[in-house]
Amino acid sequence: MSTNREFDCVVIGAGIQGSFTAYQLAKKKKKVLLLEQFILPHTRGSSHGQTRIIRKAYEQDYYTHMMEECYELWAQLEREAGVKLYRQTGLLVMGPEKSQSYLLYKNTMERNKVPTVTLTHDNFSQHIPHVNLADGDEAVVDIAAGVLYADRALKTVQMQFQKLGGVIRDTEKVTDIKPGPVVTVSTPAGVYSAKSVVITAGPWANKLLAHTGIQVPLEVVKLNVCYWKEKVPGTYGVQQRFPCFLLTEGEESKYHIYGLPSNEYPGLVKVCYHIGGKTDPDQRDLQTDRSDIDILKRFIQRCLPGLIPEPAVVESCMYTMTPDSDFVLDHHPSYSNIVIGAGFSGHGFKFGPIVGKLLSELSTGEVPSYDLSPFRIRRFPSKTKSAL
Ligand SMILES: Cc1cc2nc3c(=O)[nH]c(=O)nc-3n(C[C@H](O)[C@H](O)[C@H](O)COP(=O)(O)OP(=O)(O)OC[C@H]3O[C@@H](n4cnc5c(N)ncnc54)[C@H](O)[C@@H]3O)c2cc1C
């Protein structure tokens, strides 16, 4: 007889990846416990906030391939729950016409027959007013891209998980993991046992992995999530069909700058720099670097003249970066019944449904639906806890 402390699977971390994994496992009729250290909902990890970009525009084919099915899975969740989670806006990818990064985006979309429209310097302003395209830049629009309502999505998947009989326990921080044929997981409220454990702890991944003898090369950074006020409300509005955008590289920066139309906060447009200052997730607010904001101000002055170049709202979020910005989706190298989903490198939200599916497959011993070689832990030099 199983007790309420024995599960088929314990998932640690109720961000978007852990929540989708728990949901997928519950769909397979597994008895699942989802543990979260904070009271839900919370704003201390990586999955909070109103919006995220969803797109097929990628530099690598494998992400574009996964997004095919992922759009379907998002739509399936919308239908199941009767909730709207996605709004199509298109994504404008801009960059130096001949640069490697811009061409990788453009070519990946072409190769994979993603519906696009290419805009040249000559016809750009006719289609996208109030945006200055730099000399020598070109733009391509990923037409099906858009906005995901992030907080709503997280709440929805957690609710659907519970409807399937899944158990969520928040304010239960996992303090120990003991590997074995049956894994035991300790929290201040007690000890749970499970046939398998999935670690989806976001920026805290290495803190948890330390209990299992390994570390993955992850760097946690704090992002300043900036919102900029429109000089004339509606200039860059979702109602006015202004798209999401991504600048692959520009005069101001060699890293991506991205933005979303004004939507969640009326009259405010979210524009962020895809890089942040290194932090410890438990001390996020002590990281006060604002150099990204200076870069964004210069970008806004040059490229988005309809915005006041001073952020009106600055929120905080964290990325968990791998050295190559590819995810970690794998079994633990020593314990096959411990599965790891980590290092989503600031672009994992849109993949939540697929990540959940893949991690659930790894945890039940099924053959994964996609080639996971880009996401293996072994691509990094091995580092055990004792070598730290
Ligand atoms: C500013 C910003 C913008 C972004 N924009 C996009 C975008 O446009 N498109 C996109 O696809 N992605 C985007 N991302 C990335 C995406 O949001 C993340 O990749 C994704 O949310 C990561 O989810 P996660 O579940 O891995 O981590 P998290 O959401 O951090 O979840 C991990 C959870 O584990 C819990 N936890 C940790 N340790 C323990 C423990 N010991 N015991 C119990 N619980 C624990 C944490 O409290 C947390 O709730 C963005 C991220 C940020 C920060």
Side-chain angles (χ1 to χ4, degrees), residues 21 80 191 243 264 387:
T21 306
E80 248 175 62
V191 179
E264 59 261 45

Side-chain angles (χ1 to χ4, degrees), residues 94-110:
M94 299 179 280
E97 205 177 345
K98 295 192 172 64
S99 67
Q100 193 194 11
S101 176
Y102 174 74
L103 285 173
L104 279 171
Y105 276 96
K106 194 177 166 188
N107 295 341
T108 305
M109 288 196 282
E110 258 172 36

